[in-house]
Amino acid sequence: MKIVICILLLFSSLLFSEEVGCIAYTRNSKDKLRKTAVSVNVLNKENGFESKFFSIRNKTEDKAIKFESSMSLRACTAFYHLEQARRFFSNNFSLNPFKEKKQIVIRLEMDQAFDDSVHFLPEKFGKVYNNAITIPPSAKMKLDEVNPWGYEIWFAPKKEIKLKSSFEESSGVLASKSVVGNLVFSVAEKELTIMMQDFARGQVWNQFTREYYFQSLLFSVGVTALVPNLMNWSSKLVKKKIFLDSGLIPEVIYHEYAHFALSDLINIGHSSPVGESVANYFASKISGRNNILKNSKPFMKGLVKIDGKKLKKYKYIYDNSKYAQADFGFKFLHALNRELGQNFDTLLIKSLEYLDKRKPLVIKNNLVPALQQSISDHSHGLNHFKYLNVLQEAGI
């Protein structure tokens, strides 16, 4: 009887969905982002990019993006990679984030900020760019007049932002009137002191020595005043430009889905070193790469690429929530994966159940003991020694 029911359920799911072709950005054999023809399963092509699991929408709209829309490329890219992420978690772990949760709403080019009382923060409070965020369902903070919402993922539009480099900032300080004035006075005083010392040693004052010291003084003072201004001028040629088109980069999409998939184990209400490190790690596993944001032109510029090849030493600053996206946690988890092998992913998922939710979700004092407990309970003794070796190498 159970087999019959399963067959009926499978048949009904196929009956009420259809496979549709569309164009998405995927990575080729050289890891470069290229447009690719892919297939996606939707409830009904007429309804657009929508399935049992996802509804891909433009900004605050309440209906899915149509296939013939100008947003089709973005919608197809998001839909395709979200489905890859969903299958990764459902096929490899006993996780079913959709069991008691409704369809996730995906909002593309979403330039409004999130607020837990009104959902969409009005545009008058500013716009959001170069970002992606996973939104928790509405709770007690929601205003009564606002409709409730479930889990959502928002991808903000890109916007090129020019940042002053550290070279430009420092040269700007050097070129200020007060600094240049003090430098000139200091150099002139030094040149005059040298001249007086020479005369004290018996140097003869004549036309030759007079011209020599005068030219030396002018040259030193002139260079001192000129160099900071030259630095300030040349630094303007090396301004740093940054932007992130988050909805078109597969690993960013995987990262946000990982937050949703693990939301029962890691609170997504705020960013934490553990939450971001684990999401980055699984994003790289879904992509089959050991890095994040590498080879992401023309959709990313100026942001730090994260690589998991080499472990680095732990510093307490990596557990500061301001640096939640730092690469230490990512490198640490990849080092453990190299040492413990394929079973590490399951051990990592199980370790999240041992996290002390009463404490900040930091790496050293929360994830490390949780991993140790998971390895102790679900693995053999050799893996425990391998784990301790990685801890020692990381300086934890």
Side-chain angles (χ1 to χ4, degrees), residues 40 43 162 173 177 179 182 208 218 283 294 317 319 339 357 373 377:
V40 294
L43 293 174
K162 294 181 180 179
V173 172
K177 291 182 179 179
V179 173
N182 287 331
F208 174 78
L218 284 180
K294 188 177 180 180
I317 196 171
D319 272 331
E339 287 295 318
K357 304 303 193 297
Q373 187 65 50
D377 291 350

Side-chain angles (χ1 to χ4, degrees), residues 29 74 102 145 152 160 175 184 218 255 264 298:
S29 58
R74 289 183 174 276
K102 297 180 180 179
E145 59 268 27
E152 298 188 0
E160 188 175 279
V184 168
L218 284 180
H255 173 103
D264 286 340

Side-chain angles (χ1 to χ4, degrees), residues 141-365:
M141 291 295 292
K142 182 188 74 66
L143 298 178
D144 293 338
E145 59 268 27
V146 177
N147 293 328
W149 63 88
Y151 280 90
E152 298 188 0
I153 298 176
W154 295 4
F155 296 100
K158 78 170 187 178
K159 181 180 181 180
E160 188 175 279
I161 297 175
K162 294 181 180 179
L163 297 178
K164 287 186 176 181
S165 65
S166 56
F167 176 59
E168 183 179 4
E169 290 178 350
S170 59
S171 61
V173 172
L174 284 174
S176 64
K177 291 182 179 179
S178 58
V179 173
V180 171
N182 287 331
L183 284 172
V184 168
F185 177 79
S186 177
V187 170
E189 185 180 39
K190 183 179 180 180
E191 288 290 330
L192 289 171
T193 300
I194 293 173
M195 183 177 68
M196 296 303 295
Q197 288 175 344
D198 287 345
F199 284 124
R201 296 189 186 103
Q203 179 65 266
V204 178
W205 179 261
N206 54 36
Q207 183 177 357
F208 174 78
T209 55
R210 183 170 64 248
E211 290 180 357
Y212 169 78
Y213 286 117
F214 183 67
Q215 290 176 2
S216 177
L217 177 61
L218 284 180
F219 178 79
S220 298
V221 171
V223 169
T224 302
L226 179 62
V227 169
N229 286 286
L230 282 174
M231 288 178 62
N232 190 36
W233 174 79
S234 61
S235 67
K236 297 182 186 300
L237 303 178
V238 292
K239 278 188 175 181
K240 187 176 183 180
K241 298 177 181 179
I242 66 167
F243 62 80
L244 175 70
D245 204 340
S246 59
L248 293 179
I249 300 178
E251 300 81 44
V252 178
I253 299 172
Y254 302 152
H255 173 103
E256 294 306 324
Y257 183 87
H259 280 310
F260 165 74
L262 302 172
S263 58
D264 286 340
L265 301 170
I266 301 178
N267 179 20
I268 63 172
H270 65 280
S271 180
S272 68
V274 171
E276 300 305 325
S277 296
V278 171
N280 275 335
Y281 172 78
F282 279 117
S284 69
K285 296 292 288 200
I286 297 167
S287 70
R289 309 161 80 228
N290 62 359
N291 54 70
I292 299 289
L293 293 181
K294 188 177 180 180
N295 294 335
S296 295
K297 293 180 179 179
F299 308 124
M300 185 278 292
K301 185 175 183 179
L303 299 176
V304 177
K305 305 172 187 68
I306 302 176
D307 195 298
K309 289 182 180 178
K310 188 177 180 181
L311 182 60
K312 66 194 304 183
K313 291 291 185 180
Y314 172 82
K315 296 179 182 179
Y316 74 92
I317 196 171
Y318 297 142
D319 272 331
N320 187 315
S321 59
K322 293 181 181 179
Y323 302 94
Q325 288 283 5
D327 62 351
F328 172 79
F330 183 79
K331 290 177 177 290
F332 176 59
L333 295 176
H334 269 283
L336 289 172
N337 180 57
R338 287 192 294 271
E339 287 295 318
L340 276 64
Q342 292 182 341
N343 192 44
F344 172 69
D345 288 358
T346 300
L347 292 173
L348 175 58
I349 292 290
K350 291 184 179 297
S351 74
L352 303 181
E353 300 175 5
Y354 295 104
L355 291 172
D356 190 340
K357 304 303 193 297
R358 299 167 300 178
K359 296 180 179 179
L361 294 180
V362 296
I363 295 170
K364 182 175 182 178
N365 294 324

Side-chain angles (χ1 to χ4, degrees), residues 85-95 286 345-346 349:
R86 185 191 70 79
R87 290 178 181 176
F88 172 85
F89 280 102
S90 63
N91 291 342
N92 291 289
F93 313 108
S94 57
L95 294 171
I286 297 167
D345 288 358
T346 300
I349 292 290

Side-chain angles (χ1 to χ4, degrees), residues 91-107:
N91 291 342
N92 291 289
F93 313 108
S94 57
L95 294 171
N96 185 9
F98 292 97
K99 186 177 182 180
E100 297 177 356
K101 297 168 185 174
K102 297 180 180 179
Q103 174 191 71
I104 311 177
V105 172
I106 314 299
R107 300 192 182 277

Side-chain angles (χ1 to χ4, degrees), residues 12-20 40-57 64 67 79 103:
S12 64
S13 66
L14 293 173
L15 183 65
F16 295 106
S17 66
E18 63 177 299
E19 193 172 276
V20 181
V40 294
N41 280 303
V42 297
L43 293 174
N44 188 313
K45 185 177 180 180
E46 297 300 317
N47 292 336
F49 289 93
E50 187 168 33
S51 69
K52 173 185 176 182
F53 306 107
F54 309 110
S55 179
I56 316 296
R57 304 177 187 180
F67 276 83
F79 197 109
Q103 174 191 71

